[in-house]
């Protein structure tokens, strides 16, 4: 039987239960409930009485407030994601999969800050001092005056920091290793994570120090994930990337001092993380000549335009239910495009397996990619390669109509800068540009016209697939 003073806390979502269960009722995670001590009641069973509070001053919206000063790390991709630099006294969570490069990013940022004369402290709870030193040496940062400690005890960390004049930046790597002896729970549990974060955030606010918290994304629910502390910090950045690729993306998902949706692009090399100033060039870098099934999407990531290649493969299916495999895009959005192509354009892909991949391992979240996806699908089906120097963007409605999307001008400019000659955009978007667009526009009024445009490039000759039994490929009514 459970002790009266313990509760069971899901390490994945933080829900509590009075009894252990194999599966969390709230989030459905398996084997994620861990016994923790319940919060201690107030001494003597007293409850705070209502109506005894202090009178607070109510003020208007208008008033002179100082603009927060920014602490620039010198890593421009990081500073931009933060909204122009780190804000003193703020708490920033940097989440990401284990091994993605969080510690590397933190160490590089701290070292650059130290070289600029800032006092910075690196508390490593995962790696020993020697390991961090070795890494610093490999990155050529040993000379930077970063103060280093390998420590996980929260009280010891706070005492150490409390004695000295406050540093400008403290990094705690990772916050999941930090534990407080006053809390009766194992390190890495929800109670410990919350208590550690709360204490460090309080330290940041009271001392005007920027606190960087590293948090590992966990899937198994054995240690509590960074999602649980997102609400406690001022800014949340996720470090993403594909292990198979070298580039990494720092994405702001919450920021009280700057815009969200902003991304920073890095490349992981032998010498650590390098900034990528021209991400479109990186994602389109290994693009060869025009091939059927590929289309270049002119997308936006935050305030920055980003060109990526959408690759599709449509092949006759031998399965009862054809396969739809999507990497880097939304599967239900693909289903919608397939349905619109079928219903409004007579392009039926019911008998085909459909594979969709966003080149370079990037994840696209914009509906603006609809047009590029539709064109790539038809291009693959027909074996008709789109012109290599064309980009596409626009949203497809369920009616088959094409809708303009925001920030068309920035997308066009980026495409022109990278040497593209034609942009395929929804017709309605044309009237939005006051000035002459920097490249030739093709503006189909609906999806059916787009299909006809793709069809005009005809099947490529000498395609390898023609060696096999040729499937009937026709488009009715287009
Ligand atoms: P790390 O920063 O330790 O990841 P995290 O803190 O998110 O767990 O980075 C680990 C990976 O980065 C590791 O697989 C090796 C790679 N790496 C490089 O490729 N080059 C480098 O210069 C460094 C320091 C790491
Ligand atoms: Mg690490």
């Amino acid at each position: 039987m459970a002790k009266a003073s313990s509760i069971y806390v899901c390490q994945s979502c933080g829900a509590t239960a009075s009894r252990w269960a194999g599966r969390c009722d709230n989030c459905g995670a398996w084997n994620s409930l861990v016994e923790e001590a319940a919060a201690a009641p107030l001494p003597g069973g007293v409850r705070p009485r209502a109506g005894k509070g202090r009178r607070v001053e109510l003020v208007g919206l208008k008033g002179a407030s100082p603009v927060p000063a920014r602490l620039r790390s010198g890593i421009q991709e990081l500073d931009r994601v933060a909204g122009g630099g780190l804000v003193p006294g703020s708490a920033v969570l940097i989440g990401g999969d284990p091994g993605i490069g969080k510690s590397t990013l933190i160490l590089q940022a701290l070292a650059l800050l130290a070289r600029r004369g800032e006092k910075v402290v690196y508390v490593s709870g995962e790696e020993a001092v020697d390991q961090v030193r070795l890494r610093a040496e490999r990155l050529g940062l040993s000379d930077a005056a970063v103060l280093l400690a390998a420590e996980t005890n929260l009280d010891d960390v706070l005492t150490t920091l409390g004695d000295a004049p406050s540093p400008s930046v403290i990094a705690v790597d990772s916050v999941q290793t930090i534990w407080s002896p006053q809390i009766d729970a194992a390190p890495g549990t929800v109670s410990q994570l919350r208590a550690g974060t709360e204490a460090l955030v309080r330290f940041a606010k009271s001392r005007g120090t920027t606190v960087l918290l590293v948090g590992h994304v966990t899937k198994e629910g054995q240690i509590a994930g960074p999602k649980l502390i997102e609400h406690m910090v001022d800014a949340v950045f996720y470090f993403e990337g594909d292990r198979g690729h070298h580039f990494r993306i720092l994405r702001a998902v919450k920021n009280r001092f700057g815009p969200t949706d902003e991304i920073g692009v890095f490349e992981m090399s032998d010498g650590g993380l390098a900034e990528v100033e021209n991400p479109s060039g990186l994602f389109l870098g290994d693009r060869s000549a025009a091939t059927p099934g590929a289309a270049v999407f002119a997308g936006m990531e935050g305030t920055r335009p980003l060109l990526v290649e959408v690759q599709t493969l449509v092949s006759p299916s031998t399965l009862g239910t054809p396969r739809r495999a999507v990497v880097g895009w939304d599967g239900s959005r693909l289903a919608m495009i397939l349905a619109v192509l079928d219903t409004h354009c007579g392009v039926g892909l019911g008998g085909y397996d459909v594979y969709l991949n966003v080149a370079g391992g990037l994840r696209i979240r914009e509906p603006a990619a609809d047009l590029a996806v539709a064109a790539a699908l038809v291009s693959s089906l027909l074996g008709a390669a789109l012109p290599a120097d064309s980009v596409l963007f626009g949203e497809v409605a369920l009616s088959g109509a094409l809708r303009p999307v925001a920030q068309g001008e920035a997308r066009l400019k980026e495409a022109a800068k990278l040497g593209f000659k034609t942009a395929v955009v929804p017709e309605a978007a044309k009237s939005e540009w006051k000035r002459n667009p920097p490249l030739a526009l093709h503006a189909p009024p609906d999806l059916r016209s787009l299909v006809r445009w793709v069809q005009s490039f005809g099947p490529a000759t000498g395609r390898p697939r023609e060696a096999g039994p040729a499937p009937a490929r026709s488009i009715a009514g287009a």
Side-chain angles (χ1 to χ4, degrees):
M1 221 189 87
K3 283 178 280 166
S5 61
S6 7
I7 47 165
Y8 293 86
V9 183
C10 171
Q11 303 300 299
S12 159
C13 70
T16 54
S18 56
R19 288 202 296 173
W20 189 85
R23 186 165 183 261
C24 171
D25 279 343
N26 188 46
C27 71
W30 286 96
N31 204 18
S32 64
L33 264 62
V34 170
E35 184 178 358
E36 294 184 13
L42 286 170
V46 269
R47 305 173 110 243
R49 266 202 303 155
K52 279 276 175 198
R54 170 179 65 89
R55 196 183 292 272
V56 285
E57 190 193 349
L58 302 171
V59 296
L61 285 175
K62 222 167 129 180
S65 302
V67 181
R70 299 275 179 169
L71 202 59
R72 289 182 185 276
S73 67
I75 302 180
Q76 268 161 36
E77 297 291 301
L78 172 64
D79 290 344
R80 204 192 43 253
V81 170
L86 299 166
V87 176
S90 69
V92 178
L93 170 67
I94 298 178
D97 288 330
I100 206 72
K102 300 180 295 297
S103 303
T104 310
L105 177 70
I106 294 283
L107 186 61
Q108 287 185 250
L110 289 183
L112 289 190
L113 281 163
R115 278 186 185 158
R116 294 174 160 220
E118 301 290 345
K119 182 179 173 191
V120 298
V121 175
Y122 184 27
V123 180
S124 174
E126 305 208 329
E127 287 164 289
V129 167
D130 286 342
Q131 279 176 291
V132 181
R133 281 186 178 158
L134 214 68
R135 182 192 302 239
E137 196 175 307
R138 213 149 44 79
L139 298 176
L141 300 171
S142 300
D143 64 303
V146 176
L147 298 168
L148 176 65
E151 186 50 64
T152 54
N153 185 321
L154 178 65
D155 292 354
D156 292 354
V157 170
L158 292 177
T159 305
T160 310
L161 296 173
D163 289 347
S166 292
S168 327
V169 182
I170 303 167
V172 178
D173 184 3
S174 68
V175 66
Q176 283 139 325
T177 57
I178 295 292
W179 63 282
S180 165
Q182 283 145 38
I183 290 184
D184 189 12
T189 51
V190 173
S191 317
Q192 288 287 11
L193 180 62
R194 286 200 178 136
T197 308
E198 204 179 278
L200 290 164
V201 170
R202 215 174 319 120
F203 182 89
K205 304 282 165 210
S206 62
R207 304 289 288 270
T209 296
T210 305
V211 174
L212 303 175
L213 303 170
V214 172
H216 291 298
V217 172
T218 54
K219 297 202 173 67
E220 292 77 28
Q222 292 307 313
I223 42 173
K227 277 254 173 289
L228 291 169
I229 50 170
E230 280 186 354
H231 66 283
M232 299 163 84
V233 295
D234 298 306
V236 179
F237 307 151
Y238 276 96
F239 208 35
E240 310 171 343
D242 192 307
R243 290 288 188 88
H245 295 94
H246 286 305
F247 75 86
R248 302 280 181 267
I249 288 176
L250 187 69
R251 192 185 291 275
V253 296
K254 166 183 173 177
N255 196 349
R256 287 186 182 146
F257 305 109
T260 51
D261 286 343
E262 196 65 79
I263 66 163
V265 185
F266 298 90
E267 200 171 358
M268 181 61 97
S269 65
D270 293 343
L273 290 160
E275 297 181 56
V276 176
E277 274 159 32
N278 177 12
S280 300
L282 179 73
F283 291 118
L284 294 177
D286 44 8
R287 204 165 170 265
S288 47
T291 41
V296 177
F297 164 53
M300 293 295 295
E301 286 287 353
T303 53
R304 268 205 306 189
L306 186 57
L307 269 55
V308 282
E309 188 180 67
V310 176
Q311 304 166 345
T312 61
L313 179 64
V314 172
S315 74
S317 181
T318 53
L319 305 168
T321 310
R323 183 187 282 265
R324 269 91 181 91
V326 186
V327 179
W329 206 48
D330 182 6
S332 44
R333 198 95 206 156
L334 173 69
M336 196 197 92
I337 301 285
L338 292 174
V340 176
L341 279 171
D342 195 358
T343 309
H344 296 292
C345 312
V347 180
L349 292 172
Y352 293 89
D353 289 335
V354 174
Y355 303 89
L356 189 151
N357 177 40
V358 176
L362 193 75
R363 258 204 81 78
I364 305 180
R365 289 146 208 248
E366 281 187 287
D370 290 356
L371 203 64
V373 169
L377 288 170
V378 179
S379 158
S380 176
L381 178 74
L382 298 178
L386 304 178
D389 60 1
S390 60
V391 296
L392 303 92
F393 60 87
E395 193 176 333
V396 173
L398 283 178
S399 62
L402 303 182
R403 299 243 173 86
V405 293
Q407 291 165 297
E409 209 154 346
R411 297 172 202 260
L412 287 184
K413 257 193 223 152
E414 175 79 358
K417 202 172 87 191
L418 288 162
F420 286 87
K421 298 278 183 291
T422 320
V424 182
V425 299
E427 192 177 40
K430 260 173 88 171
S431 57
E432 285 180 15
W433 293 305
K434 288 146 237 132
R435 277 172 286 139
N436 271 346
L439 64 180
L441 291 186
H442 175 72
D446 54 17
L447 196 59
R448 186 181 274 253
S449 318
L450 177 82
V451 171
R452 250 184 259 125
W453 178 75
V454 178
Q455 213 171 10
S456 72
F457 299 105
T461 50
R463 295 182 64 219
R465 204 182 290 151
E466 284 175 5
R473 292 181 169 214
S474 64
I475 291 182

